[in-house]
Amino acid sequence: MDSEKGTSTAFNSSSTTIPGGEYDVFLSFRGPDTRETFTDYLYTSLKDAGVRTFQDNNDLRIGEEIGPELLEAITQSKISIPIFSKDYASSKWCLRELSQMVECKRTTRQMILPIFYDVEPFQVRHQSGSYEEAFRNHESCFQESTVKEWKEALREVGALKGFREKS
């Protein structure tokens, strides 16, 4: 994960039959938006409840590549929780993680439980507001196929029933 990214966490491993499962839940978030507020509280609460939690700055070993480690943590989780905040879509790592979550949902039936933190689900689903602005920037830096994959992942996950949280 880079400075834009976040954490992981999951539910009790006996509650699901998804293969793998080094972690219970993977939390995906944009660090500057929620790391020291909502996400920290959620992470701490889950850890205190005995939920196996991946957290980017604690579980990565010095010298390891951040990207592959994060993507593997998603694959090894039973549930993914993306925390969509105002600037979530501005982070290429958040979008890469989200695409990996969608892939795991399709291949291993991993559950995705979105949290909409100070954004509405329609903003995520339709890439409007700050999400639209973020994609204008991405379109000039990334291949069309990559941007399309990210938009499709946002549409799919933004259409899921999730939780709304206000700061």
Side-chain angles (χ1 to χ4, degrees):
M1 237 186 239
D2 58 20
S3 62
E4 301 173 323
K5 258 317 299 146
T7 306
S8 287
T9 309
F11 295 174
N12 187 330
S13 61
S14 64
S15 68
T16 184
T17 58
I18 295 172
E22 184 174 336
Y23 301 103
D24 294 314
V25 174
F26 184 90
L27 295 180
S28 175
F29 61 95
R30 186 169 183 283
D33 291 355
T34 67
R35 180 184 304 276
E36 294 179 9
T37 56
F38 178 79
T39 301
D40 186 50
Y41 175 78
L42 180 59
Y43 172 80
T44 300
S45 296
L46 289 166
K47 285 293 277 188
D48 289 350
V51 176
R52 292 176 298 158
T53 303
F54 176 89
Q55 186 169 13
D56 64 331
N57 58 351
N58 291 336
D59 291 346
L60 293 177
R61 291 175 203 84
I62 293 174
E64 290 185 338
E65 291 184 47
I66 294 174
E69 180 78 9
L70 281 177
L71 298 177
E72 182 62 23
I74 294 166
T75 302
Q76 291 298 312
S77 296
K78 291 178 175 58
I79 299 170
S80 289
I81 301 177
I83 301 170
F84 295 114
S85 57
K86 180 182 174 200
D87 290 325
Y88 183 93
S90 69
S91 167
K92 67 182 179 186
W93 269 109
C94 287
L95 296 171
R96 287 176 180 165
E97 289 173 7
L98 189 66
S99 291
Q100 182 72 20
M101 289 176 214
V102 169
E103 178 64 24
C104 289
K105 178 180 180 269
R106 291 178 182 151
T107 59
T108 66
R109 302 180 57 86
Q110 182 182 95
M111 184 181 295
I112 301 175
L113 300 173
I115 296 175
F116 302 95
Y117 186 84
D118 282 341
V119 297
E120 294 299 321
F122 74 85
Q123 291 173 284
V124 174
R125 191 169 49 251
H126 300 294
Q127 293 95 55
S128 62
S130 61
Y131 283 61
E132 179 178 26
E133 183 179 328
F135 274 97
R136 276 196 296 268
N137 294 330
H138 293 320
E139 287 169 348
S140 66
C141 300
F142 296 97
Q143 292 181 357
E144 183 179 342
S145 60
T146 299
V147 172
K148 181 179 177 188
E149 177 183 325
W150 292 345
K151 285 183 174 186
E152 288 174 4
L154 284 167
R155 264 191 295 281
E156 184 172 333
V157 178
L160 296 175
K161 175 77 172 157
F163 303 94
R164 291 186 184 174
E165 184 64 34
K166 299 285 182 189
S167 61

